[in-house]
Amino acid sequence: MNYTKTVLCLANSRKYQGRCVAGKVYEAGVFGEWVRPVTTRAWEAIDPGDYAYGNGSYPEVMDVIDIPFVERRPKSCQTENHLMDTSRHWRKAGRLAWGDLEKGVDCVDSLWVNGYKSSLGQNDRIPEECADSMANSLLLVRSTDLSLLVSTIPMPFGETKRQIRAQFHFNRIAYNIVVTDLYIEARCENRKDGAYPVPEAYVCVSIGEPIEGNRYKLAAAIITPNRAGQEK
């Protein structure tokens, strides 16, 4: 049976050749469960045409959106997944103010399992068998010491790629995770390699698809006061 959920958008990030959007149910000023819209495409990614508003514009982080669904579609730790009804447009129902976001923070001690890292990260990796037993894959936390690390990464055959990582502490635990936030990537595109402090931010952390036996923690959105204040 088809249904609609009103969701506060807390992530609009890249996912292979498509997009990953996620947020929390938000009705009458109250935050509810996490929701990640998915499709039947490869990696369940969303095509830009799937999530446009009726006027042709696209959702932004902090938009409150009515999203049509077909059914729940949980997959391993991504228990928040719901299959979209791609025949219907999303509808913007409002926009949240920065001061109201604090109520949506998740009360957790850590970002899932720690102690595993990639070559460039810190507490950014979880073995797949461990991750797949977890009950959720999305969290919203607040940071007051976040830095964006912009670097040029060597690739095979002499090529390079730009990478942005989020470095911060949460409950005195250090994290260094890849940023997949499209908004942040666009604003760091022409920056020189280096560290750029972000004094105050909320971070939407997501667990990504498995890669060679591991899943990775991703900064799917970095929400700052300036970004939250934008009117779309």
Side-chain angles (χ1 to χ4, degrees), residues 75-80 111-114 126-138 207 215 217:
K75 185 181 69 173
S76 61
C77 64
Q78 294 185 348
T79 57
E80 309 90 347
L111 304 184
W112 302 287
V113 177
N114 295 314
I126 305 174
E128 186 177 353
E129 64 273 15
C130 179
D132 286 350
S133 66
M134 299 188 317
N136 66 311
S137 65
L138 289 162
I207 301 296
R215 288 182 183 263
K217 303 169 190 177

Side-chain angles (χ1 to χ4, degrees), residues 7-11 21-25 32-37 138 204:
V7 177
L8 172 66
C9 181
L10 294 170
V21 176
K24 284 191 171 186
V25 168
E33 64 176 348
W34 277 100
V35 174
R36 180 191 287 109
L138 289 162
C204 174

Side-chain angles (χ1 to χ4, degrees), residues 6 13 16 20 34 90 92 100 126 152 167 192 198 204 206:
T6 301
S13 63
Y16 300 100
C20 179
W34 277 100
W90 293 16
K92 182 175 177 179
D100 294 326
I126 305 174
T152 303
Q167 179 176 276
K192 296 180 180 179
V198 181
C204 174
S206 175

